[in-house]
Amino acid sequence: MRAPAFPAWITVICPGLVAAVAVAVLDLVFGADVGLLPLFAVCPALTACCAPVRKVVTCGFVSLLLCACVAAYGDLLYSRRGVVALASVALVTAASAVAAYARVQHERRATRHRLISEFVQSVILAPVPQDTEPARIAASYLSATEDARIGGDFYEAVPAGDGVRVVIGDVQGKGLGAVRTATIMLSAFRMSAHDSADLDEVAAKMSGALGRRGVDEQFVTAVLAELDPAGRLTLLSFGHPPPLVVRADGGHELAHPPSPALPFGLDWLEQDPPRPSHVELADGDRVLLYTDGLAEARNAEDAFYPLVQRVSLLRGESLDDCLVRLRGDVHAHTDSGVDDDSALLLMEYRTPV
């Protein structure tokens, strides 16, 4: 059943009516010598800040009626002051109605853009499989742009054979160009992760896709990971921050690559491809993959976020709760929000039954 419209109507229009009544009372109290009649024009202008056109017009009509009554009471209805006051209320009402119409149209466009942005993000960053052998996975994305839902950071998890392959990456730059590049990389990973022989082949196909699309002056840092049923984690890093391994027995370590590697898109420098590294995981061990939006978050003293010192936040029953706590701690550290996109992917190894 449709809810009654009257309570919402009176809630929105109340500020304008309160102002009109207040002006009328004050004019009657102080007398005609004070000259408060022009203040009735404030009422429709105040209503235009939060109400649609019809409510602005209604408030303007009430203000005009009260202004005429107060002017008649003070024998000013047909005087110059009375006519000017009534004309002011009418003109401000018309201008406020136009402003309210423009505001409503802008809000509708902003709502459409937000819905489109959310849909695009749902296509680009589809929900990761949270429970797939041999891992549980949770992911989180935060855009640095206000009201934006997409950016140049990306992640994905794909079952492959008896294990799972994941990727997390960060496109250099911002805007639609970064989103386009992220889409290219994700598409290539999704197409190749299922049936490629190893991570080297997956990386080669991602690099080829980026080169074929002709993305100029953009590079992509990324980490590719593969977890098999025995708990062997294989990592391939392309200039990306090292994953954080959180041991179930209380230890932790950063999985640095054995040799520095250049990001995707810098193949023309002809550096040797990265060598894979391996980490042995026990049941309950967790691995956090992240972008530099987390690692380079700074506080007012320009100090980086101390991720390793906050490793306790990644221990708990729920992976999603761990990421929520980590996000809250980063926000408390920066105290003013983040200035870069940030993607997180937390993976927990479980011994297959």
Side-chain angles (χ1 to χ4, degrees), residues 38-156:
L39 291 182
F40 281 102
V42 173
C43 308
L46 182 63
T47 307
C49 297
C50 57
V53 175
R54 61 184 180 86
K55 295 180 181 179
V56 173
V57 174
T58 301
C59 184
F61 176 78
V62 173
S63 301
L64 192 65
L65 183 61
L66 286 176
C67 181
C69 293
V70 172
Y73 180 80
D75 295 328
L76 297 174
L77 183 58
Y78 299 106
S79 66
R80 179 181 299 177
R81 287 173 54 187
V83 173
V84 170
L86 292 172
S88 299
V89 175
L91 291 174
V92 172
T93 299
S96 300
V98 173
Y101 176 80
R103 177 184 56 78
V104 170
Q105 295 302 312
H106 175 75
E107 290 175 351
R108 289 176 178 173
R109 286 194 298 269
T111 300
R112 288 196 297 268
H113 292 166
R114 184 170 61 252
L115 292 175
I116 293 172
S117 177
E118 291 174 351
F119 174 76
V120 172
Q121 186 200 26
S122 68
V123 174
I124 297 177
L125 293 180
V128 297
Q130 296 186 347
D131 195 355
T132 178
E133 294 289 349
R136 291 192 303 165
I137 303 174
S140 171
Y141 186 90
L142 179 64
S143 175
T145 304
E146 186 178 0
D147 293 332
R149 299 294 185 273
I150 54 177
D153 291 9
F154 60 91
Y155 56 78
E156 183 59 288

Side-chain angles (χ1 to χ4, degrees), residues 6-46:
F6 180 76
W9 180 87
I10 196 66
T11 301
V12 172
I13 206 170
C14 185
L17 289 180
V18 170
V21 173
V23 172
V25 171
L26 291 175
D27 190 271
L28 294 176
V29 170
F30 293 114
D33 294 336
V34 178
L36 298 180
L37 292 179
L39 291 182
F40 281 102
V42 173
C43 308
L46 182 63

Side-chain angles (χ1 to χ4, degrees), residues 72 126 142 183 190 264 306 319:
L142 179 64
T183 305
R190 289 165 178 161
F264 289 108
L319 300 183

Side-chain angles (χ1 to χ4, degrees), residues 303-320:
F304 290 115
Y305 178 71
L307 176 60
V308 175
Q309 300 175 22
R310 301 292 199 272
V311 69
S312 61
L313 298 174
L314 300 175
R315 305 183 189 278
E317 187 65 26
S318 170
L319 300 183
D320 291 310

